Amino acid sequence: QVQLVESGGGLVQAGGSLRLSCAASGLTFSNYAMGWFRQAPGKEREFVAAVNWSGARMHYADSVKDRFTISRDNAKNTVSLQMNSLNAEDTAVYYCAARRSGYWDIYIEEKKYDYWGQGTQVSVSS
């Protein structure tokens, strides 16, 4: 069965960096668009970043643009999220998600994704 497993979360000071990774199994990874979402306490889950199956096309939420970078390694079946200049508003559980897609497709809507990981906690202290 399809499994997505996030790692790399933790506690970091404001202004610091973290790199999240998501390892996928049970699917042909290069046929899937991938996304990162997050959910802060008391808030709905929101889109963070997405990448198409080749890694050539990315899209970011305005709140993370120029601070976060999404990337993927199809040889290793992983997608990563490099997070720089973190602030307290970035504190959330971060989830990766997968959806089978065409070459150029990316998705920003939560409901478009077929598979989800269990999430990893990111806490930023101010």
Side-chain angles (χ1 to χ4, degrees):
Q1 82 252 29
V2 175
Q3 280 194 315
L4 302 175
V5 180
E6 301 96 337
S7 60
L11 176 63
V12 64
Q13 289 189 330
S17 298
L18 279 176
R19 184 177 180 86
L20 305 183
S21 292
C22 172
S25 60
L27 50 72
T28 304
F29 187 68
S30 59
N31 287 348
Y32 283 75
M34 301 297 295
W36 285 97
F37 291 75
R38 66 186 182 185
Q39 187 168 22
K43 295 187 177 181
E44 294 186 352
R45 191 155 54 183
E46 64 176 4
F47 169 77
V48 175
V51 63
N52 77 320
W53 70 255
S54 74
R57 185 184 180 200
M58 292 80 76
H59 185 74
Y60 298 92
D62 287 343
S63 59
V64 307
K65 202 173 294 182
D66 299 325
R67 299 189 299 123
F68 290 11
T69 302
I70 188 171
S71 61
R72 65 187 295 159
D73 185 338
N74 287 346
K76 296 182 178 179
N77 285 10
T78 59
V79 60
S80 298
L81 186 69
Q82 177 66 42
M83 306 186 295
N84 299 328
S85 302
L86 287 162
N87 57 59
E89 288 68 42
D90 296 316
T91 294
V93 178
Y94 284 71
Y95 300 89
C96 72
R99 176 190 163 110
R100 188 175 176 88
S101 68
Y103 177 82
W104 206 237
D105 295 334
I106 58 173
Y107 305 94
I108 63 173
E109 296 179 54
E110 180 179 346
K111 63 182 180 181
K112 296 284 189 180
Y113 286 87
D114 301 316
Y115 303 105
W116 292 83
Q118 82 290 347
T120 186
Q121 176 70 48
V122 171
S123 299
V124 184
S125 62
S126 55

